[in-house]
Amino acid sequence: MPIILFVLLLLSISPIAVAKEDSNEVKLNRISQFLSNSPQQSESLINELLDDWQTLEREERAKLMMYQSVLHTYNGEYEAAIVLLKKSESLKPDEVTQILIYQYLATNYIALKQYPKVLDLMTANLERIENVLDIEIKIGAYIRLSNLSLELYAYEEQREFALKAMELSQNNYAQEYCIAMLLSAYADLSEAKYSRAKKGLLASRIFADSNQMPLISLMSQKGLASVAINTEDYQSAKKLLEPVLKGYQEFNFQTEINHVNALLSQTYFGLGDYVQAELFATKTMKLNDEPNHIQNKSIASKVLSQLYRDSNQFKLAYEYLGLHQQYENQLLDDTKAKANAYQLAKFKHQEQAREIALLNQERQLMETQKELDQSAQANNVMIVTMLVGSIFFLSLFLFSSHRQKLRYRKLALIDRLTGVYNRGAGQDFAENEFVQTCLREAHFSVVLFDLDHFKKINDSFGHATGDWALKHVISVVKPLIRDGDIFTRMGGEEFALFLPYSNEEAAIEIAERCQKAIAAIETKYSGHQFSLSASFGVSSNMVDDLSLDPILKRADIALYVSKNAGRNQVTRYSKELEEQGQSQNETIQLGLS
């Protein structure tokens, strides 16, 4: 979200009129210029004009409220910004100002994750833009469509719009050209194409610095830091992020400051500076649970969980691990909402196009029928041919639409690397199976397993070897489970087997077979020699279980015991294990105090 918010704001605060001699108009143009490099000065000018509200014309009042909304957006006050923009729109300003109002509204609705409203606004905005000859506004429209596609993970469309913007803006519109470069680089970053992303981000930073665009330069540098974090080059990430934080603080850009704080907690933890890591992570966790804070809090809670685990504060580690999983679930739900909104908008567009095509076909058929009524019998062959062709075309279109829907559905359910269910889909299916199992008063078991020392494999041999290991683990485990069992990738190197109608003994037997199969994988075919093993935790449903959550929690406790007991083993959950873990945590707490 920060890249989307930044670009839409930056594009929206370009001057929209040439300054006149009138002092109010001069101040308005200065405000639009200061918003991109000195928000404090723009706030001072806004307050001056608010004091002179009675002297402002209708168009000037609309622009002033627009600029005032930007300051609210910078501070994360999105609802307040929307109220001001709707008041500005109610004044019925000129066409160009109305286009900018729609762009501001899209910015704030994206921040609030109200994606259907964003898509409706963008459609309405494009209809207005078609009647505008100003090439700068057209470039801005392509950039905003590129941003929206990036936010909705539609990277192919995102690149298409970015390239159009670059083509139109090259040599004439430096700011827009640089933003399009930045968008392309962030798409590569999102797809984990780190080498290409780094090249693009360096180019956009150099271009921004040479053309005095400080905010774009900061965003490019933050992207470079993200590349460094993802490639575990934490020293470079620190050198990049510290000046970025200082730069955003000068702009008082709180949304970006929050994101950089979360990235710094991750960076300092990677460097082993646990004091600084805890400081930045704790600062991030103090944010409220508004939608735009969830990603940052997910990063911070994971850092705190790992930090407390490494310092043997297992109770705190487990609490923050639970928070991390909660935030990850919220992000997953948000991803589903984006996908649904995008698919719905695309489907509506296709349906409208299909209806128009059908209406045109019907009109043509009626006209042709009138002519054929006056023709001889030979012309009837032409009618039959046209009808058959129309039916074939419609059948082909419906078949194509159906395949496209199935493809999107599969993408939403399946983990792309391993081919098993992703966490959201797997848990949804497992929850449904659990309900059916409970109605029949049958057994339901869960097996959680985590690959041992997987980070060392990535660190020593590279992520490609890590991906090879994950795929081969899937290939040896799949034959050992039934068709009705649900195989799920919970995240990273952690997996779950949901086993309906299986008691605890059967689940332990499956876990032990899986353990042996994983340990027997011959790794030399990856090009490197290393050992693979996994730790397992097993739990089954109890009488008072109303959902999967308590079973998962018990299996997770058993998995932790397997890890702490030396790894590469299967542990069955028992009440004694949980009481023993709590007792150890209390002993550790007493010793620390």
Side-chain angles (χ1 to χ4, degrees), residues 327-345:
Y327 294 135
E328 283 294 300
N329 287 336
Q330 288 180 250
L331 291 172
L332 178 63
D333 292 340
D334 180 50
T335 300
K336 290 180 180 178
K338 290 178 184 178
N340 290 336
Y342 179 69
Q343 291 176 28
L344 179 61

Side-chain angles (χ1 to χ4, degrees), residues 343-498:
Q343 291 176 28
L344 179 61
K346 196 167 185 178
F347 180 74
K348 284 169 63 178
H349 177 73
Q350 290 174 339
E351 286 294 299
Q352 289 172 356
R354 185 176 70 85
E355 289 176 5
I356 292 171
L358 288 174
L359 287 173
N360 288 333
Q361 286 180 0
E362 289 178 3
R363 178 177 58 79
Q364 292 172 0
L365 286 173
M366 288 179 65
E367 292 176 356
T368 304
Q369 186 64 50
K370 288 179 182 179
E371 295 176 1
L372 290 175
D373 287 342
Q374 302 171 2
S375 301
Q377 184 177 0
N379 290 333
N380 291 335
V381 176
M382 185 182 298
I383 298 174
V384 173
T385 303
M386 291 180 64
L387 290 174
V388 170
S390 298
I391 292 170
F392 175 77
F393 170 77
L394 291 173
S395 300
L396 187 62
F397 177 83
L398 292 172
F399 176 73
S400 176
S401 298
H402 179 67
R403 289 194 64 180
Q404 189 177 43
K405 290 178 187 176
L406 291 177
R407 177 173 171 269
Y408 280 123
R409 187 180 178 205
K410 183 178 179 181
L411 287 174
L413 300 178
I414 300 299
D415 177 67
R416 298 178 71 176
L417 175 64
T418 60
V420 300
Y421 287 120
N422 59 38
R423 179 174 184 164
Q427 287 195 226
D428 286 346
F429 290 147
E431 197 72 54
N432 292 335
E433 287 293 330
F434 176 77
V435 171
Q436 297 300 319
T437 304
C438 289
L439 290 175
R440 293 172 173 79
E441 297 183 356
H443 294 286
F444 191 103
S445 296
V446 174
V447 175
L448 286 180
F449 68 92
D450 189 287
L451 299 186
D452 299 326
H453 303 299
F454 186 75
K455 186 175 183 299
K456 290 183 179 179
I457 297 174
N458 281 332
D459 291 344
S460 301
F461 309 114
H463 289 278
T465 303
D467 292 345
W468 181 93
L470 290 173
K471 291 177 181 178
H472 279 71
V473 167
I474 298 300
S475 68
V476 301
V477 171
K478 265 189 174 181
L480 303 178
I481 60 176
R482 302 166 301 180
D483 291 340
D485 297 334
I486 300 168
F487 197 1
T488 302
R489 186 182 182 187
M490 301 297 283
E493 66 272 21
E494 186 176 5
F495 297 88
L497 300 175
F498 298 102

Side-chain angles (χ1 to χ4, degrees), residues 511-535:
E512 290 175 345
R513 290 205 305 266
C514 292
Q515 177 202 1
K516 293 175 182 177
I518 292 170
I521 292 175
E522 181 55 68
T523 61
K524 67 181 181 181
Y525 299 112
S526 70
H528 304 281
Q529 191 68 42
F530 56 91
S531 61
L532 269 177
S533 65
S535 301

Side-chain angles (χ1 to χ4, degrees), residues 239-307:
K239 291 179 181 178
L240 290 163
L241 284 173
E242 288 177 342
V244 168
L245 179 61
K246 183 178 179 181
Y248 281 135
Q249 287 170 341
E250 291 176 359
F251 279 94
N252 195 28
F253 202 160
Q254 194 57 49
T255 301
E256 287 293 312
I257 291 170
N258 294 338
H259 190 212
V260 174
N261 284 339
L263 293 178
L264 278 169
S265 72
Q266 194 175 8
T267 299
Y268 280 119
F269 181 80
L271 290 171
D273 189 344
Y274 296 151
V275 174
Q276 288 293 327
E278 185 175 15
L279 175 66
F280 280 98
T282 303
K283 184 183 297 185
T284 302
M285 291 303 295
K286 289 180 181 178
L287 298 171
N288 57 37
D289 283 345
E290 290 181 2
N292 58 305
H293 294 154
I294 297 304
Q295 183 182 13
N296 300 331
K297 297 186 76 171
S298 175
I299 294 171
S301 58
K302 183 177 181 179
V303 168
L304 289 172
S305 174
Q306 293 172 326
L307 193 151

Side-chain angles (χ1 to χ4, degrees), residues 109-237:
Y109 282 132
I110 285 175
L112 292 172
K113 305 189 183 300
Q114 298 180 14
Y115 305 114
K117 291 184 179 179
V118 177
L119 290 162
D120 290 342
L121 277 170
M122 295 303 292
T123 301
N125 208 1
L126 281 174
E127 291 174 357
R128 288 181 176 273
I129 289 167
E130 289 177 358
N131 300 319
V132 176
L133 299 178
D134 191 326
I135 190 171
E136 186 173 5
I137 294 177
K138 290 184 181 292
I139 294 169
Y142 282 130
I143 288 177
R144 289 173 181 85
L145 283 172
S146 180
N147 269 279
L148 183 58
S149 300
L150 179 60
E151 176 73 359
L152 298 177
Y153 309 133
Y155 302 120
E156 183 177 346
E157 290 85 350
Q158 182 270 328
R159 283 192 179 86
E160 178 185 347
F161 292 130
L163 287 174
K164 288 182 178 179
M166 290 178 69
E167 182 181 354
L168 289 172
S169 60
Q170 192 171 15
N171 301 324
N172 293 312
Y173 300 95
Q175 177 176 278
E176 287 78 0
Y177 183 77
C178 190
I179 291 171
M181 291 173 62
L182 180 65
L183 279 167
S184 179
Y186 262 84
D188 291 332
L189 178 59
S190 300
E191 290 185 315
K193 298 175 180 177
Y194 300 127
S195 179
R196 283 178 52 181
K198 184 176 182 180
K199 183 178 178 181
L201 289 163
L202 279 170
S204 64
R205 186 179 71 175
I206 292 170
F207 191 93
D209 288 339
S210 63
N211 288 274
Q212 297 181 344
M213 302 174 193
L215 274 175
I216 303 180
S217 179
L218 289 172
M219 184 60 65
S220 301
Q221 189 159 326
K222 189 188 75 170
L224 288 169
S226 295
V227 171
I229 291 172
N230 282 286
T231 56
E232 299 184 2
D233 183 4
Y234 298 112
Q235 194 63 46
S236 295

